[in-house]
Amino acid sequence: MIVSNWRKALMPIVLSVVLLVTGCSSKEPSKYAQTQKDTTGRNAPAAIAKNAEAGSQFNQFFPQGANGYARVFSQEKKGFAEAKLNKGGKNVAVLSISDTSSLPAAAKKYEKSISKLNNYPLVDEPALKSTGVLVNNRFQVKVASRDPSFTAEDRQMWLQKFNLGGLSTLK
């Protein structure tokens, strides 16, 4: 009986010590801690540049659906607009216009382009199944395949249907 009571009395003490030791041990900072601090603190850079165009401004420059293709606008926010290109009820491509003032790295890939479409630098990204042009060193117009039947040639054809000249008038 004495041994039994002794164990009952010792158990809470042992548990308290274990909790105290494990609770007070120092933890490594999360690998995301610095990113969280940089993006949420005061004076953190804005995700969207203040001078970025409203996405609604881009809608007028998208091509209309034709020849069995239907254009359906799917997203619009400051600096970006997107439409899905559907055929036979299936999404075959995504059309987009983005203002690279918010993401200058997006415009950098066009600096080394040797291909042109209507005098705008053209970049084909086979790994991403997308083709894009940069208008006025600022507005990226892209067509991305979502179906294997929608080829690189189809992407270039749809890029030509955008009103690139009208888009170039935006400041």
Side-chain angles (χ1 to χ4, degrees):
M1 283 273 220
I2 296 175
V3 174
S4 174
N5 289 338
W6 177 76
R7 286 184 183 168
K8 285 182 181 178
L10 186 60
M11 189 58 87
I13 295 170
V14 170
L15 283 174
S16 296
V17 169
V18 168
L19 288 173
L20 181 67
V21 169
T22 58
C24 294
S25 65
S26 64
K27 294 181 182 178
E28 280 187 42
S30 166
K31 62 182 178 179
Y32 304 109
Q34 187 61 41
T35 302
Q36 182 71 19
K37 184 179 175 185
D38 291 345
T39 58
T40 59
R42 289 185 183 215
N43 302 322
I48 306 292
K50 288 183 181 181
N51 66 336
E53 285 290 332
S56 59
Q57 293 293 319
F58 299 140
N59 293 344
Q60 62 187 321
F61 305 114
F62 279 79
Q64 299 292 321
N67 299 328
Y69 288 95
R71 178 203 64 198
V72 180
F73 285 103
S74 56
Q75 188 176 18
E76 179 184 295
K77 59 186 178 181
K78 187 172 183 178
F80 182 78
E82 176 184 273
K84 292 182 179 183
L85 193 60
N86 299 330
K87 186 171 186 178
K90 185 178 183 180
N91 180 230
V92 294
V94 174
L95 315 173
S96 65
I97 300 175
S98 58
D99 188 337
T100 64
S101 63
S102 299
L103 186 62
K108 278 198 176 289
K109 65 184 168 193
Y110 293 93
E111 290 175 357
K112 297 178 183 174
S113 172
I114 56 172
S115 300
K116 298 246 186 229
L117 178 72
N118 297 345
N119 290 323
Y120 300 112
L122 174 91
V123 171
D124 187 45
E125 298 175 284
L128 299 175
K129 297 179 183 165
S130 71
T131 307
V133 294
L134 187 64
V135 177
N136 285 355
N137 295 317
R138 182 173 173 185
F139 302 109
Q140 178 177 237
V141 181
K142 284 180 83 172
V143 178
S145 299
R146 293 294 184 250
D147 187 83
S149 66
F150 202 82
T151 65
E153 292 78 23
D154 293 326
R155 293 192 302 261
Q156 281 197 22
M157 181 186 71
W158 278 91
L159 277 173
Q160 291 175 3
K161 293 178 184 242
F162 277 86
N163 181 357
L164 301 176
L167 182 60
S168 71
T169 64
L170 290 180
K171 304 290 180 210

